[in-house]
Amino acid sequence: MDGDTRGLGSRVMDGLGRPPRRLLVLGGGAAALALLVDRGLRLDVPPPPPPVPTRRPAPDEALLLSAVADLEHIVAAETSVLAGGEGGGLVRRLRTVNREQLRVLRGRLTNAGVPTAVIDAAVSAGPAPSSRTGSTGTPTPSAAPPTSQRPVRTRRELAVLLDSLGPEDWSALTTATVDTRELLAAAYGQRLAGAVLLGRDVATSPPSPVRPEIVSRTSPLVYAFEVVAAQSSGDQRSRAEDTLAALVRLDIAVSGASSTTPAGWALPYPVTTPEAAGRLATETLSSAVDAGTEVAGPDPSADSLEDVARWSADLQALAVDWDVPLTAFPGATA
């Protein structure tokens, strides 16, 4: 009887309240886990991913990206002109120089940590459209994205594009670091020289604070080429006379008065032969082309930068006839 009673009680407890063995195990594990957490131990949960770092823009990044987009459009225009059979050797040389500018400016961006994808995106977006004015003061086509602008197919259209720099371009240069300003100012001068070589008159801008310095460097060139013409013969004399006439026009344009031979200016060496005359022509024009940064001064205004670039463009175009080739960044040391 007793045995039956104990067996019955056990069965009753099993039916009413004794937890199953599986629940006991789970409950014990939870209690142990709570105890461990309470004593400072953490669960092995993967940490959240770190925040994506925000890239800090490089110095002058926006300005350089804009310049690269402009240059890509110019190179594409030059390629289009060449494909149409109108370009010739001159447009091919201009494209070579502009491609070198692209290589350098892209390199500055990537060296500063700008991803290639960012540069390519700026190029794909195209140059920002603007209402730019050329040297004559009349509106000229801006370097707008190819999808919204009629393709450039002739040398004349290419010259207009090269001379499409406006006031906002020169103003932007004044906000740049010194190295970037010198580099882009030199590139803009070369760009305008290309327009001159293609037959466009880029003229001079209104007088700027550095105009007296420009005048003081132009008049000696007139004198130098008077000597070159006098000491030359044949084709060299004819070329020297053409250059002299162009320099006289430039001297009048920048001074606002008739051209006069500067007083007290001495030749760097005796010039009594055609060979010495040719050397004087090359060296004086080359020095003038390289003087752009020096003439602009350490803290130039937008007007000064444009004044120097347009003056330099005329000299670069003249210097080509005297074995001074176009370069990507004439006079820049950055």
Side-chain angles (χ1 to χ4, degrees):
M1 185 71 178
D2 290 340
D4 291 342
T5 301
R6 285 193 301 272
L8 178 59
S10 177
R11 286 194 298 272
V12 171
M13 288 299 295
D14 287 342
L16 295 178
R18 181 179 294 175
R21 181 176 301 174
R22 183 172 55 187
L23 293 179
L24 287 173
V25 172
L26 291 175
L33 181 60
L35 179 62
L36 291 176
V37 171
D38 184 60
R39 294 189 178 183
L41 297 178
R42 299 176 61 86
L43 298 178
D44 188 13
V45 178
V52 178
T54 302
R55 185 179 65 84
R56 189 173 184 178
D60 307 317
E61 180 175 325
L63 179 58
L64 288 169
L65 287 173
S66 176
V68 167
D70 265 341
L71 277 169
E72 289 283 6
H73 182 45
I74 288 171
V75 169
E78 290 163 343
T79 300
S80 177
V81 172
L82 288 169
E86 192 180 330
L90 172 58
V91 175
R92 193 169 288 107
R93 288 198 300 275
L94 292 176
R95 186 176 63 171
T96 297
V97 172
N98 293 149
R99 282 175 168 171
E100 174 64 12
Q101 290 174 348
L102 270 175
R103 185 190 68 80
V104 172
L105 296 183
R106 278 181 170 270
R108 287 181 75 90
L109 285 166
T110 55
N111 289 344
V114 180
T116 302
V118 172
I119 302 173
D120 293 341
V123 171
S124 297
S130 62
S131 56
R132 295 173 174 174
T133 57
S135 58
T136 60
T138 57
T140 58
S142 66
T147 55
S148 62
Q149 184 183 33
R150 183 168 59 88
V152 173
R153 300 192 185 282
T154 67
R155 287 163 62 104
R156 181 180 177 280
E157 291 171 341
L158 178 59
V160 171
L161 174 62
L162 293 174
D163 188 23
S164 64
L165 292 162
E168 69 280 6
D169 296 299
W170 305 108
S171 294
L173 285 188
T174 64
T175 67
T177 59
V178 173
D179 286 353
T180 298
R181 185 185 70 227
E182 289 186 3
L183 205 64
L184 290 183
Y188 289 172
Q190 181 279 322
R191 171 174 169 170
L192 292 169
V196 175
L197 289 168
L198 288 169
R200 186 170 176 84
D201 181 10
V202 303
T204 54
S205 57
S208 73
V210 298
R211 181 60 65 85
E213 181 68 15
I214 289 175
V215 172
S216 72
R217 290 174 181 265
T218 307
S219 297
L221 291 173
V222 173
Y223 174 65
F225 269 85
E226 288 176 346
V227 175
V228 172
Q231 297 299 326
S232 297
S233 60
D235 291 342
Q236 179 171 299
R237 183 182 180 91
S238 177
R239 189 162 26 114
E241 290 174 344
D242 289 344
T243 303
L244 174 60
L247 286 171
V248 169
R249 291 192 296 271
L250 180 62
D251 193 26
I252 294 172
V254 298
S255 65
S258 59
S259 179
T260 57
T261 301
W265 196 82
L267 295 175
Y269 42 78
V271 179
T272 56
T273 65
E275 291 75 20
R279 175 188 169 196
L280 179 66
T282 298
E283 291 181 356
T284 53
L285 284 174
S286 180
S287 295
V289 168
D290 288 340
T293 299
E294 183 180 348
V295 173
D299 189 23
S301 66
D303 290 341
S304 294
L305 289 168
E306 182 176 7
D307 205 5
V308 171
R310 292 190 180 280
W311 170 76
S312 178
D314 278 317
L315 295 181
Q316 290 177 60
L318 292 174
V320 168
D321 286 338
W322 296 94
D323 300 323
V324 181
L326 291 174
T327 56
F329 306 99
T333 58

